[in-house]
Amino acid sequence: MKLVEKHVADGRVLGMIEGFLKAGGMEGMESWEPDHGTPQGGVISPLLANIYLDPLDWLMVENGLEMVRYADDMVVLCRDREKARGALEKIQEWMGQAGLTLHPEKTRVVEMTEQGRHSDFLGYRFWRARGGGIKKLVRPKSKKKLRATIKPQTRRTNGENMEAIVAKLKPVLRGWYGYFNPNSEVGVKKWG
């Protein structure tokens, strides 16, 4: 809230944000109340992540590092492995001071100059092709998630007629296609 107060002066807005942070939730039949942080998936979470991580953005700029960040997902682009390791150290140090930690399984240095190497970011897989270019593909986990969403709707025993099934699938498929459409302006066009 101290960081939010640096950017927002209106007491009503501050009260509303604090209310979002203190609001509980339900998971199944269990209710819970947050003890710290912002609820994952909450409507206010992306805004708060951006406010909280803004100093990290500036730290990267001050150190001449190019970082692409969407909420708490980030990629730092470096010319060589040594700079990448230095950037990772800076980020880890900043995170520790900010009371945050990097996800151990998602945090890694990837040498994208080598054929067959890849990096995943925001549902995409950026893959170094044989010809040297970088291809933007749909990440396998994203495809799996789409299949998991569609499968229950398309079972023969789901009790729905075709019209109802199509009505439920249309928004899912439109959203997925709108994001992953290769001609779309969404996502990163080209790396490398």
Side-chain angles (χ1 to χ4, degrees):
M1 284 304 296
K2 288 177 186 169
L3 284 172
V4 173
E5 288 169 5
K6 289 182 180 179
H7 299 278
V8 178
D10 189 326
R12 293 173 298 177
V13 173
L14 292 170
M16 185 174 64
I17 291 171
E18 196 163 359
F20 273 116
L21 291 172
K22 291 182 179 176
M26 287 195 73
E27 197 168 313
M29 296 304 290
E30 301 283 325
S31 64
W32 57 270
E33 293 204 16
D35 55 353
H36 67 282
T38 177
Q40 186 173 353
V43 294
I44 200 79
S45 298
L47 172 67
L48 296 177
N50 284 330
I51 290 171
Y52 201 76
L53 295 173
D54 185 61
L56 177 61
D57 297 339
W58 287 106
L59 176 68
M60 296 291 101
V61 169
E62 289 165 9
N63 283 278
L65 296 165
E66 190 168 341
M67 181 172 72
V68 179
R69 184 176 65 76
Y70 181 82
D72 63 345
D73 291 323
M74 64 190 83
V75 172
V76 180
L77 307 170
C78 299
R79 295 246 175 239
D80 57 55
R81 185 173 289 275
E82 186 178 309
K83 284 190 178 179
R85 291 194 192 284
L88 180 57
E89 286 175 18
K90 285 187 188 327
I91 292 170
Q92 286 171 326
E93 182 182 323
W94 185 90
M95 291 279 187
Q97 292 170 356
L100 301 171
T101 55
L102 294 171
H103 193 292
E105 294 169 20
K106 294 180 180 179
T107 304
R108 61 193 183 115
V109 173
V110 179
E111 182 67 52
M112 289 297 291
T113 58
E114 298 173 14
Q115 177 186 328
R117 298 301 300 261
H118 73 273
S119 181
D120 295 339
F121 185 58
L122 300 179
Y124 286 97
R125 172 159 288 173
F126 297 91
W127 180 73
R128 176 63 70 178
R130 190 177 337 164
I134 293 184
K135 291 187 176 187
K136 181 177 79 169
L137 309 169
V138 177
R139 186 174 151 197
K141 187 175 176 181
S142 301
K143 291 178 187 178
K144 188 176 181 179
K145 187 176 178 183
L146 176 66
R147 284 188 198 103
T149 302
I150 290 174
K151 193 172 184 175
Q153 303 298 325
T154 56
R155 285 204 169 101
R156 291 181 187 189
T157 58
N158 76 356
E160 301 273 357
N161 65 30
M162 187 59 72
E163 201 171 286
I165 293 169
V166 168
K168 286 181 180 178
L169 290 178
K170 261 187 185 179
V172 172
L173 295 174
R174 275 193 183 135
W176 203 85
Y177 182 75
Y179 186 77
F180 290 109
N181 174 359
N183 300 317
S184 170
E185 293 300 315
V186 175
V188 182
K189 283 291 181 189
K190 184 179 176 186
W191 282 17

